[in-house]
Amino acid sequence: MEKIAIYPGSFDPVTNGHLDIIERGLKIFDRIIITILENPSKQLLFSVAEREELLRKSLPEFTDVEIASYDGLLVDFAKQRGAHAILRGMRAVSDFEYEFQMALMNRRLNREIQTVFLMTGLRWIFTSSSIIKEAAKFGGNIESMVPPPVQKKLEEKFNRSIGENK
Ligand code: PNS
């Protein structure tokens, strides 16, 4: 049976930390469905279409991945797609409580679907989409933290050249 995982998130925007989790997740799962879902507690910079496009442009070399979006419960989408796992990256202790709560809620909603955590690579331990957006907004150099299409899009959004203050 094909081992399919859903890799859910806001991806606003995708970062190198996300790409690291996808690459490593592919060593465990046959196929990963990267899924943009709604996180009602987040203020977003990019539309779903923009986030999908950025994921698509940032992932050309991966063949066993699919990009999707879903307006509803993560576990419902996982069931629809025949996925038995949810893949999440865990950075610091600060992520733990939120991830723990979400994993337990998802388990309560559907016991057939297991959440699998991968520790974020040390290089990406301090990065998050939110902090990258904040740095980019004020012209900080974030080029080593995001794929090139994301850097370009952030430059367009904030109307400034991000690599300029090295
Ligand atoms: O990248 P994020 O914002 O940490 O991802 C959170 C996300 C989008 C995975 C989470 O908010 C989510 O699963 N949203 C869909 C609704 C849902 O199923 N929520 C979890 C159970 S209440």
Side-chain angles (χ1 to χ4, degrees), residues 31 41 102 106 137 150:
R31 196 148 60 89
S41 59
M102 207 156 57
N106 285 330
K137 184 174 178 184
V150 173

PDB file of all heavy atoms in Angstrom, residues 31 41 102 106 137 150:
ATOM      1  N   ARG A  31       4.593   9.289  -0.925  1.00  0.00           N
ATOM      2  CA  ARG A  31       4.050  10.502  -1.547  1.00  0.00           C
ATOM      3  C   ARG A  31       3.628  11.475  -0.466  1.00  0.00           C
ATOM      4  O   ARG A  31       3.107  11.072   0.580  1.00  0.00           O
ATOM      5  CB  ARG A  31       2.850  10.147  -2.432  1.00  0.00           C
ATOM      6  CG  ARG A  31       2.464  11.249  -3.390  1.00  0.00           C
ATOM      7  CD  ARG A  31       1.891  10.654  -4.688  1.00  0.00           C
ATOM      8  NE  ARG A  31       0.715   9.843  -4.420  1.00  0.00           N
ATOM      9  CZ  ARG A  31      -0.519  10.343  -4.387  1.00  0.00           C
ATOM     10  NH1 ARG A  31      -0.737  11.624  -4.599  1.00  0.00           N
ATOM     11  NH2 ARG A  31      -1.547   9.549  -4.163  1.00  0.00           N
ATOM     12  N   SER A  41      -6.190  31.746  13.087  1.00  0.00           N
ATOM     13  CA  SER A  41      -5.494  32.675  13.983  1.00  0.00           C
ATOM     14  C   SER A  41      -4.334  33.406  13.296  1.00  0.00           C
ATOM     15  O   SER A  41      -3.598  34.135  13.945  1.00  0.00           O
ATOM     16  CB  SER A  41      -5.002  31.933  15.224  1.00  0.00           C
ATOM     17  OG  SER A  41      -4.144  30.906  14.847  1.00  0.00           O
ATOM     18  N   MET A 102      -2.776  20.317  18.606  1.00  0.00           N
ATOM     19  CA  MET A 102      -3.325  20.062  17.280  1.00  0.00           C
ATOM     20  C   MET A 102      -3.307  18.551  16.977  1.00  0.00           C
ATOM     21  O   MET A 102      -4.294  18.003  16.461  1.00  0.00           O
ATOM     22  CB  MET A 102      -2.508  20.821  16.232  1.00  0.00           C
ATOM     23  CG  MET A 102      -3.298  21.158  15.022  1.00  0.00           C
ATOM     24  SD  MET A 102      -2.635  22.573  14.127  1.00  0.00           S
ATOM     25  CE  MET A 102      -0.983  22.081  13.784  1.00  0.00           C
ATOM     26  N   ASN A 106      -6.602  16.351  16.271  1.00  0.00           N
ATOM     27  CA  ASN A 106      -6.744  15.590  15.023  1.00  0.00           C
ATOM     28  C   ASN A 106      -6.954  14.102  15.309  1.00  0.00           C
ATOM     29  O   ASN A 106      -7.719  13.434  14.615  1.00  0.00           O
ATOM     30  CB  ASN A 106      -5.529  15.817  14.114  1.00  0.00           C
ATOM     31  CG  ASN A 106      -5.581  17.182  13.452  1.00  0.00           C
ATOM     32  OD1 ASN A 106      -6.666  17.712  13.195  1.00  0.00           O
ATOM     33  ND2 ASN A 106      -4.432  17.772  13.201  1.00  0.00           N
ATOM     34  N   LYS A 137       9.899  42.758   5.303  1.00  0.00           N
ATOM     35  CA  LYS A 137       9.118  44.002   5.246  1.00  0.00           C
ATOM     36  C   LYS A 137      10.013  45.225   5.473  1.00  0.00           C
ATOM     37  O   LYS A 137       9.829  46.268   4.874  1.00  0.00           O
ATOM     38  CB  LYS A 137       8.029  43.945   6.322  1.00  0.00           C
ATOM     39  CG  LYS A 137       7.110  45.120   6.313  1.00  0.00           C
ATOM     40  CD  LYS A 137       5.987  44.914   7.299  1.00  0.00           C
ATOM     41  CE  LYS A 137       5.094  46.157   7.287  1.00  0.00           C
ATOM     42  NZ  LYS A 137       4.056  46.067   8.278  1.00  0.00           N
ATOM     43  N   VAL A 150      10.371  32.861  -3.797  1.00  0.00           N
ATOM     44  CA  VAL A 150       9.734  33.501  -2.633  1.00  0.00           C
ATOM     45  C   VAL A 150      10.414  34.836  -2.345  1.00  0.00           C
ATOM     46  O   VAL A 150       9.752  35.846  -2.077  1.00  0.00           O
ATOM     47  CB  VAL A 150       9.774  32.570  -1.393  1.00  0.00           C
ATOM     48  CG1 VAL A 150       9.283  33.294  -0.143  1.00  0.00           C
ATOM     49  CG2 VAL A 150       8.949  31.317  -1.640  1.00  0.00           C
TER      50      VAL A 150
END
